[in-house]
Amino acid sequence: NAGVTQTPKFQVLKTGQSMTLQCAQDMNHEYMSWYRQDPGMGLRLIHYSVGAGITDQGEVPNGYNVSRSTTEDFPLRLLSAAPSQTSVYFCASSSQTATNEKLFFGSGTQLSVL
Amino acid sequence: GQQLNQSPQSMFIQEGEDVSMNCTSSSIFNTWLWYKQDPGEGPVLLIALYKAGELTSNGRLTAQFGITRKDSFLNISASIPSDVGIYFCAGQSPGKLIFGQGTTLQVKP
């Protein structure tokens, strides 16, 4: 099993550009989520999904869109990148939806917006 | 919204020393967790706590779930260089995990 796979590992964007961060898991987990990590702020939840076709907002959803068309994939879209979105992004999944504490994280995408 | 306050923010210790860090919240959580993040990687679960007052060990790591359900601490005994990283506490809320700001640990050989 590969676990949670994120691509790309690194990305540089110009303000206003759009892009999609990819996340895939091969553990048949129902629950998937996206976090961003910023210095001194820990991990903040952007969006999450408890199953295919279901998504919900986390703490910091503005500027990001998600969709969950399959159990395996949970892409994160930035429609018009802003410098404030410079961060490290982590995708995570869990087999538990009601008690989703045992999160498996990907290795992260480091995004810089100039 | 719910917030977790984790302290200290950073620690620089000598190999062999014991380490203690804690996490407090204004909200009650039913589950507390501790994760460790190695440089360049995503966080990995260390310990999960499910009951108020629970004390759980995982090797040299010991964590406790506070009686009030609003706090937790993590102890690392006899630290070694590979303990270096960022340690996060997290509280489980319906549909989501809320993370603390993290404690950066550096160990001097």
Side-chain angles (χ1 to χ4, degrees):
Chain A
N1 283 352
V4 179
T5 303
Q6 286 184 240
T7 56
K9 185 81 172 171
F10 301 95
Q11 183 70 52
V12 179
L13 292 177
K14 293 182 180 178
T15 297
Q17 284 185 316
S18 63
M19 81 157 296
T20 299
L21 307 186
Q22 301 291 345
C23 177
Q25 51 89 12
D26 61 358
M27 298 173 283
N28 203 32
H29 285 173
E30 290 294 327
Y31 182 91
M32 295 186 75
S33 56
W34 277 100
Y35 286 85
R36 60 178 288 174
Q37 182 177 16
D38 302 290
M41 304 191 74
L43 293 154
R44 293 182 293 169
L45 182 64
I46 305 172
H47 285 285
Y48 65 98
S49 168
V50 298
I54 305 169
T55 64
D56 208 343
Q57 296 181 346
E59 302 168 75
V60 288
N62 292 341
Y64 308 96
N65 283 346
V66 292
S67 59
R68 186 89 182 273
S69 56
T70 68
T71 299
E72 294 78 20
D73 300 296
F74 191 44
L76 178 72
R77 296 183 186 86
L78 285 71
L79 297 179
S80 179
S84 61
Q85 294 178 303
T86 293
S87 187
V88 181
Y89 291 85
F90 287 98
C91 178
S93 72
S94 171
S95 60
Q96 301 144 313
T97 54
T99 57
N100 56 8
E101 69 272 13
K102 294 183 180 177
L103 286 177
F104 291 84
F105 283 84
S107 56
T109 295
Q110 189 167 325
L111 176 68
S112 294
V113 184
L114 306 178
Chain B
Q2 293 170 307
Q3 287 186 324
L4 297 184
N5 295 312
Q6 193 171 341
S7 63
Q9 278 193 328
S10 62
M11 304 180 74
F12 191 90
I13 63 169
Q14 195 78 33
E15 181 178 1
E17 290 182 349
D18 297 342
V19 172
S20 183
M21 58 192 79
N22 66 76
C23 205
T24 60
S25 171
S26 57
S27 304
I28 289 174
F29 289 105
N30 291 323
T31 303
W32 280 90
L33 305 111
W34 287 91
Y35 282 81
K36 183 195 176 194
Q37 182 182 26
D38 290 326
E41 298 294 330
V44 174
L45 181 65
L46 296 175
I47 292 180
L49 302 158
Y50 301 102
K51 294 181 183 178
E54 179 182 352
L55 186 71
T56 297
S57 293
N58 178 6
R60 294 177 297 105
L61 277 61
T62 301
Q64 184 158 29
F65 190 149
I67 293 291
T68 64
R69 292 194 286 160
K70 292 183 178 182
D71 62 320
S72 177
F73 73 74
L74 175 71
N75 286 342
I76 306 172
S77 62
S79 59
I80 58 178
S82 62
D83 290 334
V84 164
I86 304 176
Y87 292 80
F88 291 101
C89 63
Q92 194 235 331
S93 189
K96 61 191 83 169
L97 277 187
I98 308 297
F99 283 84
Q101 305 97 321
T103 294
T104 300
L105 178 63
Q106 295 179 320
V107 180
K108 184 178 180 182

